Amino acid sequence: QVRLVESGGGSEQAGGSLRLSCSASAFAYSTYCMGWFRQGPGLQREWVALLDDNGRTAYTESVKGRFTISQDNAKNTLYLQMNSLKPEDTAMYYCAAKRGSLCYTTRDYYNDWGQGTQVTVSS
């Protein structure tokens, strides 16, 4: 099991930027997929971005061109750079880890979750 801790959330005005971090206690999976999800008020948790162990990335349509997922293996840290923020990006953001290199956008496939970090974007 991997312990994940998110940080970097906060309040920002529309058009601004934030960078979220997700620190992993140790990376026990030789093959993996990492994902960022978010859950807005009254909404279901939705997939935002993913990165596999070959460095391939994918993004949900609403954040393409604005968000970038990356990792620093030496630091066991996953990042989500969020630019051109919009009020509709307001949500609790979670990082998640999945064993095996096949990536899915469905939350049920992910084994480990962080506690979340709140992002609030005002217009």
Side-chain angles (χ1 to χ4, degrees), residues 25-112:
S25 56
F27 229 79
Y29 307 145
S30 57
T31 58
Y32 59 87
C33 181
M34 299 295 296
W36 284 100
F37 290 74
R38 66 186 180 186
Q39 188 166 10
L43 301 175
Q44 291 196 350
R45 194 170 300 187
E46 64 172 356
W47 165 69
V48 175
L50 58 82
L51 179 149
D52 72 11
D53 51 20
N54 287 311
R56 291 174 294 204
T57 61
Y59 302 89
T60 194
E61 195 64 36
S62 63
V63 308
K64 280 182 182 177
R66 301 189 298 122
F67 290 11
T68 303
I69 187 172
S70 63
Q71 64 180 358
D72 183 332
N73 287 333
K75 296 182 180 179
N76 284 337
T77 301
L78 181 75
Y79 300 101
L80 185 67
Q81 177 67 44
M82 306 187 297
N83 299 328
S84 302
L85 284 164
K86 303 176 180 180
E88 51 263 43
D89 295 320
T90 294
M92 184 73 81
Y93 283 72
Y94 300 88
C95 71
K98 174 193 166 293
R99 296 186 202 95
S101 54
L102 285 177
C103 282
Y104 298 93
T105 60
T106 305
R107 59 178 292 187
D108 293 346
Y109 287 97
Y110 288 79
N111 306 101
D112 306 290

